[in-house]
Each structure stands twice: as C-alpha cells, then as structure tokens.
Amino acid sequence: MRTGARPLILALALLLGCNGSRDQLLADLQSPRPEVRALAVKKLAGQGNPDDLVLFTRAAKDFAAIVRAEAAVALGESQDARVVDLLGELLEDQDEEVQGRAAMALSKVNNEKAKAYLTLQYGRRGRATRQVIVQALKNANVPGAMAEVVAAEARSQWDRNQLALTEGALPERVGAAEELGKSGRPDAVNRLLPLVRDSQVILAAAAVRGLGDAGDKRAVSPIALLLEENFPELRESAIHALMKLQDPVATQRLQLVAVEKSAVSPLAIDAIVSFPRTPQTDASLCAIVMEGAPAEALVAGRSMRTRGGCSVDTIGERLARPATAASGLQAVEGLGPAALPLLGKVVPWLSHSDATLRLLAVEAVAEVGDASVVPALQKLYEQEVKGLEALRADWVTQALPEKFGVGFDPSTMPPTPSTPGLKDERPSRHADLLGRVKELNAARVRESGRDVVRHRVPTELYDDVAPERLVPLATLLRALGALKAPGALELLTGYTQDSSAALRVAALVGLARLGPEGVNVAKAGLVEPDRDLQKALAQVLAEAGEAGQAALIEMLPKMGSEKLLVLDALTRAGAVPGSASTQLQAVVREGGPEAALAAALLGRIQAKDAVPTLVKALDEPNSVARRDVLLALGSIGDAQAADAVAKDLFHDLPEIRAAAASSLRKLGSAAHADQLEALKADYFRTVREAAGAAPASASTASEGAP
C-alpha cells in the first residue's frame, strides 16, 4: 500500500508546490517593492495563463516605471487585440524604457491598429523611442519602415501648420509661417509670399523669416523691397532672410541700409560680406568704406583687404581736404596694407592740430603696417606722456595699505559697550567662515590647474585723469606694438601693470603683435578679471599667427568660464594649432557651451585622436554641443564613428538630424544608406538636403511634397 501510494503523493506535492508558487507570485503583485512586483509580472507572463491578462492590465497602471515596462512586455506576449489601446497609452508613457517596451509589444500584436499607433507616435517621441518604433515596424514586416514613418510625420506637420496658418490665432499663425518656410516646399513659398505685405507686422516678419529658410530665390525681390519699410523688426527679418538666400541681386538695396547709420546697418554689411563675390558686392563694400559709420566702414574695409582694396584716387581726394579727411582716414584704417600707396597723404595728419584727426591718423598708419612712420609716432608718444605727467603724478608716493591696521580689523573688535561682560563672537565667526570659503575656493582652483585671478588693488584714492583723456596714449601704445617699434617690448611691458584698464589693454594688445617675445608677456593678461580686456587680447592673439594661437591653447586649461572667449577668438580667426587636440578634448569632456566651439575646432584640424572623445560626448542626451560634435566627426572622416552618428538620424530635433545625415554621408557608411534614403522625405528642407535630396527649388511643386 505504501509503495502504490508513493506516485500519488508525489503528484499531489508537485501540484501543491505549483499552486503555492503561483499564490506567492500573486501575493508579490501587492508588494511595496517595485522590483518584486515587476519580477512577479515577468514570471506570471512566462506561465502563459490567459486569465492573467487582467493582472497585466492592472500592472500597466502601476506608479513604478519598471513594473509598467514588464506589463507592456506581458501584454505583447498575449498577442490579444484587446490590449492594443492600452499599449498605445504606454507608448506615450513619460519613461523612455516603457515607451520602447510598448513599441516592441505592439509589433507582436501586429495588426493595422497597432501599426497605426506606432506610425502616429513616431513624430511625437524622442530619439531612443523613434529608433525602437522603426525596429518594431520592421519586426512586423512593414516594408520601408523608416521611410513610411518619416513621410507620415512630414504629412502631419504640413497639415498641422497649414491649418494653424489659416485658422489659428495670431501667435499660432506666426509660428506656422516660420515652420512652413522651414519645409522648403514650393507650395509653402506660394503661401508665404502674399503674407510679406500683411498689415500685421509680426506676421509679415514671420513670413519673411520662413521664406529665408525655404531657400527659394523667388522670394529675394519681394523681401528686398521690405528694406524700405520703417519697422525695425521687419527690416531685420528681411536682412537675415536675404543673408540665407545668398543672392547678390539685393546688394544695392542692402548698401543703402548699410550707409544710413541705423541700428540695422551692421546687419546689412554682414549680409553683403556673406554674398558670393561679384563686382557689384565689391563696389558696394567700397562705397560703405567711404560713406558708412566708423564701425561699419571698418568692417567693410577689412573685408576688402583680401579683395584687392578700393580705388585709392577717391580716398586720396578725401584725404586732401580737412572736411572729408575723417572718412578718408577711416577708409585707410579699414583697408590696412591695401592702402599703402596712400601712406604719404596720411602722415601729414599725424601733426594736425585737430586731436580727432591725429588719432584717426595714428590708427590708420598702424593698420597700414609701414615702419617708416615709427619716429613720428614715438614723438607723439613723448608729447602725450609729457602732457599727462602732471595729471598722473601720485598724490601718495607710498603704496596704499592692503591690510587693516592694529585695532581696526573687524574680526578682532571687542564686544560692544551695550552688552557689558558679554563677548560677541559674531564678527570672528563671520570672518572665519569667509576665510574657510576663500581657502576652499583657492584649493579647488589649484587642483584644477587654473591660475587664481587676483583683483587689482587701486594705487590711488582718486585719479585726476578721466578715462577718455587716456585714449590717445592708449592708441599710440597699440600702434607702436603693431609697427614693432624699437624698444616697444620694454615700453609696453611697463604699462601692463598700469592702474588704467585702458592703458593695460592697449599695452597687452600691442605686445601680442610684437611676435613670440611679446606674446609670452601678453598671455598673462588672459587671467585678468576684466572681461573686456580678456576678449580684446584673445582676439588679437588669435590673429597673431602660430605664436599667439599656441599661447591661447597653452592658457586654456588654466582658465574657467573665460575659455569661451578664447575658443570664440580662435573660431573667428579660422586657425588653430594642430597640436591643440589634447586641450580641446578636455574642454569637450567638461561639457557646456565651450564644448561646442571646441568640437568645431577639433573638426577643423581633423584630429583623428579625438574621435573616441567625440563619440563619448554623444552619450550625453542633453548636450548643447551635440550638433557640433556630429559635424566634427564628419569632418574628421573616421568611419568607426558611423554607428554612433547614425543614432541621431532618429533625433526629434531637425538640426541634429541634419548634422547626423551630413556627417554620415561624409563617413560613407553603406550600412545606413536606407536610413538616409528615408530622410529624403523629411519635413524639413535642411534634413532632406543633408540626406542627399535635390533642393526643393529645383523641383516642381508636386515633386517638392514629401
């Protein structure tokens, strides 16, 4: 009897064990620990019991993302058509992991409604989920999965923006006008052109900005006419749009704006300079050199230095008369070495009785760069110093004290008389706290390898010389440095410790132009607390050739937030030493806005050793430097970065998709050809063209539609 009962007992034990295990899982669903609930959902899903669907439905509403993610998987494994709507909700979950699990679950249900959810949500989700959605559609055997969702997103955006432009409130119409223009479709241009004359200026300006983004040359003439309007916002939008459209046809109208000396005149000059070079653009720039405000004339003149300069006869005629000499001297300053034939007509103005004309003449000869005028400048310098000698004499010959005298230190003050016998420890505690904070900050700076910025202590209680009175002396110091005058190194070095910020800036700028020896002295000014000084010095060092650029790179690790000034100066100068890769990579690793400029410079020098650093920077999802990192990887051209770059073809921001597509085409990775082909149907013109599509302006209206 015992022998015959053994199999029955074993079967009952197994049955009770299984029920006990299931009962435990059902109990775990009520656990306060999310990971326990998630594991219970996973194990129950593995049992394949149809009656558990209601449990998974309840788990899909759990407050913990880990539980909702497992519930999405379990619902998908059921392949029950009734769960499609619930999975569609999970596809909109705030957690990306849940979104991805829901997308893959919908692919297992694999009906038309599930595919519709996946297609709809592609345009609403972030990069990671968009990538999973495409993979889910592929798993569901949808042909051309990425092309289909990209085209669907484009149609949705087009319809939404058309509706907002037609029926929306004013703010919605403004946004829609700009977004329609970004599509670059010929139909968008047709809809926006009539709006440039709309009575609501804000809408007209938005239409103009949209036409600039559309890139269709048909908009050039209507936009150029708006330069005659009186509304600053409309004129500014028109100039920015013309700059994007890059058609020199608008040059003449932009020239009129440039010489009117208004707030938008600098923008007009920037637009003309950005245009492809033509005889018309050269003539307009030369006219601005003669007729524009000083700042605008200088910009126009500098741009003409590499274009052969302007007519010296016209400028010479102006230099011959005191009434027009100022504009002639400004023209010479802007043209610099290109105006060397006019030097003989400029030198007499160095001794003119008018201080303004003398100052303009000093600046002009300094830019021309001929050392023959150095004796005249040295004479002017001596006269200027002599005239300031009495005014700049120190009232107090001894250095001012930098510490409290005995009995005057607040931290050692005795208790106040109002509280006899009670010791007030607040001043000493306050001083100790500040002291500890300063020590900690100094230690942190030393550990980072940066120089401690020391604020300059005033040497006088009061200065008799107004800052504007020192402008002539500062101009002469810069000129002596620019012309590499004999003894300039010692002279300018002495002024680097002057109490006047204007003279210190002038001395440091002059030193930066003296060559390697001067650069070695001037670079210390990059850790001065004065931001204007840092900016001016960084720009001059960047333009001073290899020595100045090497000094900027050398000082980069020793600087804090000032790095942005240095990197911006190197970017504007268009040059950076090839040996700068290590320092620039360190900036990229630190992140922040500086990383964007550093990445662009790494791409410019094609630093192949920087590829791992740049690829790792793409792991930071919220990096402000993402676009620049992608473009840098494309410029470097290392095919090993292709897979990392390709992930951003799914990014929700069009400028990131465009950068990724542009870089991937340069990297030449055939593995991602289908994804690039799909982006040729993207809503945004910049993305389509980066992916290799023909410009919309070269297509018919029907061909322009995605």
Side-chain angles (χ1 to χ4, degrees):
M1 182 177 177
R2 291 178 180 175
T3 304
R6 186 173 297 172
L8 180 59
I9 293 172
L10 290 174
L12 289 172
L14 288 172
L15 181 60
L16 290 172
C18 291
N19 288 337
S21 174
R22 179 175 176 79
D23 290 342
Q24 183 61 50
L25 292 176
L26 293 175
D28 287 346
L29 288 177
Q30 308 301 320
S31 172
R33 296 171 57 188
E35 63 273 16
V36 174
R37 298 198 302 276
L39 183 60
V41 171
K42 184 176 182 179
K43 289 184 176 181
L44 285 171
Q47 294 181 0
N49 189 337
D51 294 336
D52 291 339
L53 192 62
V54 65
L55 301 177
F56 303 147
T57 301
R58 189 181 305 153
K61 304 294 185 181
D62 197 282
F63 69 87
I66 186 175
V67 181
R68 297 197 302 275
E70 289 297 340
V73 175
L75 290 169
E77 292 295 339
S78 72
Q79 298 185 7
D80 193 317
R82 293 175 297 173
V83 304
V84 171
D85 289 329
L86 182 55
L87 287 173
E89 292 180 17
L90 290 175
L91 193 53
E92 299 183 52
D93 195 275
Q94 60 184 359
D95 186 84
E96 278 196 342
E97 180 66 21
V98 177
Q99 295 172 14
R101 298 283 186 92
M104 296 306 294
L106 283 168
S107 72
K108 293 184 178 181
V109 177
N110 195 14
N111 58 22
E112 292 303 318
K113 191 174 184 181
K115 294 175 185 176
Y117 268 117
L118 291 170
T119 303
L120 174 66
Q121 290 298 325
Y122 178 84
R124 302 178 180 180
R125 305 273 71 88
R127 185 190 73 170
T129 304
R130 288 160 74 103
Q131 196 169 1
V132 175
I133 286 174
V134 170
Q135 186 58 50
L137 289 170
K138 288 181 179 179
N139 293 349
N141 298 318
V142 175
M146 184 172 178
E148 180 173 325
V149 291
V150 168
E153 180 187 22
R155 287 193 297 271
S156 173
Q157 288 174 307
W158 174 260
D159 293 341
R160 182 173 66 250
N161 289 324
Q162 277 200 108
L163 182 63
L165 185 67
T166 306
E167 301 179 9
L170 181 58
E172 295 172 321
R173 297 185 71 196
V174 168
E178 295 186 13
E179 290 299 306
L180 283 172
K182 291 176 183 178
S183 74
R185 294 168 60 171
D187 193 25
V189 177
N190 295 336
R191 293 179 66 87
L192 293 177
L193 280 173
L195 293 178
V196 301
R197 289 290 182 180
D198 195 273
S199 59
Q200 300 179 95
V201 174
I202 187 174
L203 180 59
V208 169
R209 291 192 293 270
L211 288 168
D213 288 327
D216 195 319
K217 298 296 179 68
R218 290 180 295 161
V220 172
S221 295
I223 292 176
L225 292 174
L226 299 176
L227 296 176
E228 300 175 1
E229 295 286 345
N230 295 323
F231 302 103
E233 181 184 359
L234 190 56
R235 301 180 82 204
E236 185 175 339
S237 298
I239 294 172
H240 281 299
L242 292 172
M243 196 180 304
K244 292 178 179 179
L245 292 170
Q246 287 289 289
D247 194 334
V249 170
T251 300
Q252 190 63 37
R253 292 185 181 275
L254 286 168
Q255 177 189 328
L256 296 176
V257 177
V259 298
E260 71 184 17
K261 303 177 182 179
S262 67
V264 295
S265 293
L267 290 177
I269 295 173
D270 290 341
I272 297 173
V273 172
S274 71
F275 286 168
R277 185 182 176 187
T278 64
Q280 185 180 9
T281 56
D282 285 359
S284 290
L285 288 172
C286 285
I288 296 168
V289 168
M290 303 299 295
E291 304 293 342
E296 286 81 65
L298 185 59
V299 172
R302 287 182 179 276
S303 66
M304 287 303 298
R305 291 185 184 186
T306 57
R307 303 188 183 195
C310 300
S311 171
V312 295
D313 294 336
T314 305
I315 301 173
E317 292 175 2
R318 298 209 168 198
L319 290 172
R321 300 188 300 274
T324 57
S327 61
L329 291 170
Q330 290 171 7
V332 172
E333 180 187 357
L335 294 170
L340 181 60
L342 293 168
L343 184 61
K345 296 186 177 183
V346 174
V347 171
W349 294 103
L350 292 173
S351 56
H352 196 271
S353 58
D354 189 315
T356 302
L357 293 178
R358 283 203 311 273
L359 193 62
L360 288 172
V362 171
E363 293 173 335
V365 297
E367 291 296 326
V368 171
D370 192 297
S372 63
V373 300
V374 166
L377 293 180
Q378 289 174 327
K379 184 178 179 181
L380 284 175
Y381 166 76
E382 293 170 0
Q383 293 173 354
E384 196 65 34
V385 170
K386 188 175 181 180
L388 291 169
E389 187 174 2
L391 292 174
R392 303 204 77 204
D394 291 339
W395 285 15
V396 180
T397 57
Q398 296 179 347
L400 294 178
E402 298 181 17
K403 295 182 179 180
F404 288 104
V406 178
F408 291 93
D409 191 341
S411 63
T412 61
M413 295 292 285
T416 58
S418 58
T419 55
L422 179 63
K423 184 179 180 181
D424 190 354
E425 297 180 353
R426 284 178 297 176
S428 60
R429 287 204 306 269
H430 183 67
D432 289 345
L433 178 60
L434 289 178
R436 287 199 297 271
V437 170
K438 290 179 181 178
E439 289 175 4
L440 288 172
N441 287 336
R444 192 178 296 112
V445 170
R446 285 194 298 271
E447 289 173 3
S448 66
R450 291 186 279 133
D451 287 353
V452 179
V453 177
R454 295 179 176 84
H455 292 270
R456 192 174 299 274
V457 178
T459 58
E460 280 290 337
L461 296 174
Y462 181 78
D463 196 341
D464 287 325
V465 185
E468 56 270 17
R469 179 65 180 82
L470 295 174
V471 170
L473 179 56
T475 305
L476 285 164
L477 291 176
R478 285 194 298 269
L480 291 171
L483 297 174
K484 298 178 174 58
L489 180 63
E490 294 77 13
L491 175 68
L492 296 176
T493 301
Y495 278 97
T496 58
Q497 301 302 318
D498 197 275
S499 59
S500 167
L503 295 183
R504 290 202 308 277
V505 173
L508 291 167
V509 168
L511 284 166
R513 294 175 174 173
L514 283 177
E517 290 184 347
V519 166
N520 193 46
V521 178
K523 66 184 181 183
L526 290 171
V527 294
E528 285 260 5
D530 189 332
R531 278 301 181 95
D532 291 335
L533 184 153
Q534 291 174 334
K535 183 177 181 180
L537 180 57
Q539 192 62 49
V540 174
L541 286 171
E543 296 171 354
E546 292 184 7
Q549 294 155 15
L552 289 175
I553 294 299
E554 176 191 344
M555 295 296 292
L556 203 57
K558 302 177 182 179
M559 306 176 76
S561 59
E562 307 87 7
K563 287 186 178 75
L564 197 60
L565 298 175
V566 171
L567 295 168
D568 181 61
L570 290 169
T571 302
R572 290 174 181 271
V576 63
S579 58
S581 176
T582 301
Q583 292 90 334
L584 293 174
Q585 287 184 60
V587 177
V588 172
R589 284 191 289 268
E590 291 173 5
E594 297 88 352
L597 294 176
L601 292 172
L602 285 168
R604 183 172 295 174
I605 62 177
Q606 297 186 335
K608 290 190 176 295
D609 63 313
V611 170
T613 299
L614 293 171
V615 170
K616 186 171 180 58
L618 293 177
D619 293 338
E620 173 53 51
N622 299 319
S623 172
V624 297
R626 191 170 206 86
R627 176 179 176 275
D628 300 273
V629 169
L630 290 167
L631 294 174
L633 287 169
S635 298
I636 295 171
D638 191 332
Q640 295 180 358
D643 289 340
V645 171
K647 293 178 182 179
D648 278 318
L649 295 177
F650 298 90
H651 205 280
D652 52 315
L653 295 179
E655 59 268 25
I656 303 298
R657 294 201 299 275
S662 175
S663 295
L664 204 57
R665 289 181 64 200
K666 293 178 181 178
L667 295 174
S669 175
H672 306 286
D674 291 344
Q675 297 168 357
L676 286 174
E677 187 66 27
L679 287 182
K680 291 181 181 179
D682 197 278
Y683 175 82
F684 293 91
R685 178 180 70 88
T686 53
V687 179
R688 295 197 304 272
E689 293 182 0
S697 57
S699 309
T700 63
S702 60
E703 290 171 340

